[in-house]
Amino acid sequence: MTKYLTTTIDGLEIFYREAGAPDAPTILLLHGFPTSSHMFRNLIPALADKFHLIAPDYPGFGNSSMPTVDEFDYTFDRLAEVMEKFIEVMNLQQYSLYVMDYGAPIGYRLAVRHPEECRRSSYRMAMLMKKDYKTFGSHSEHIGKIKL
């Protein structure tokens, strides 16, 4: 059964879907654009008998807080920072990433910054850019080191 929950990160309400036993291997599902965790509504119940699944909505997406562009820096770096803090709050010690589209630049950052936590990655319709809208920066040189 999928649970629909929220947690607060940096004053933002982050909505997420969670299913499966917490002691099962965890898969963090990062959605694409212009969607939300809703895109995983059929995948979550299909995998919940074998995995612990968590699918957050980024700030400005789905059921999470929607700050204005004056209140929040909508860059992949900033979204990755929020997801890093989300992972900490959720106490995810090890997880696999399943990312779609817009989730890829966020997931790449998480994998590069925390290779000891991110055990596996699966990228669907993913984009890899030398630089994103503002800053992909030095992360691009580390992408070749990630075990996909």
Side-chain angles (χ1 to χ4, degrees):
M1 170 182 257
T2 303
K3 295 182 276 185
Y4 306 94
L5 305 162
T6 61
T7 190
T8 302
I9 307 292
D10 293 344
L12 301 165
E13 284 292 310
I14 302 298
F15 172 87
Y16 64 99
R17 296 162 196 265
E18 183 174 17
D23 60 342
T26 298
I27 301 175
L28 182 63
L29 305 161
L30 299 179
H31 66 79
F33 177 84
T35 64
S36 67
S37 62
H38 183 259
M39 75 176 291
F40 299 118
R41 69 191 175 281
N42 296 321
L43 181 64
I44 291 171
L47 298 178
D49 61 331
K50 293 187 186 325
F51 298 97
H52 176 223
L53 301 136
I54 299 177
D57 288 349
Y58 315 128
F61 291 81
N63 295 304
S64 287
S65 292
M66 303 256 177
T68 67
V69 295
D70 295 326
E71 300 168 324
F72 187 83
D73 189 21
Y74 284 97
T75 64
F76 290 123
D77 276 338
R78 183 66 179 116
L79 292 170
E81 286 173 18
V82 172
M83 289 299 101
E84 278 181 293
K85 291 177 182 180
F86 175 81
I87 289 165
E88 287 176 29
V89 167
M90 299 302 295
N91 196 30
L92 301 181
Q93 302 298 312
Q94 292 190 339
Y95 55 88
S96 295
L97 282 171
Y98 182 98
V99 302
M100 181 71 174
D101 177 59
Y102 203 76
I106 297 165
Y108 289 139
R109 284 165 171 76
L110 296 174
V112 167
R113 292 176 188 164
H114 303 283
E116 71 287 352
E117 294 174 6
C118 180
R119 308 309 284 174
R120 292 176 183 81
S121 302
S122 177
Y123 298 90
R124 302 290 178 244
M125 295 177 56
M127 55 185 163
L128 174 61
M129 300 170 278
K130 195 75 168 164
K131 292 190 180 266
D132 67 25
Y133 300 116
K134 287 192 179 177
T135 54
F136 191 59
S138 64
H139 298 297
S140 60
E141 65 210 35
H142 299 291
I143 296 304
K145 298 176 186 174
I146 300 172
K147 294 180 181 178
L148 301 176

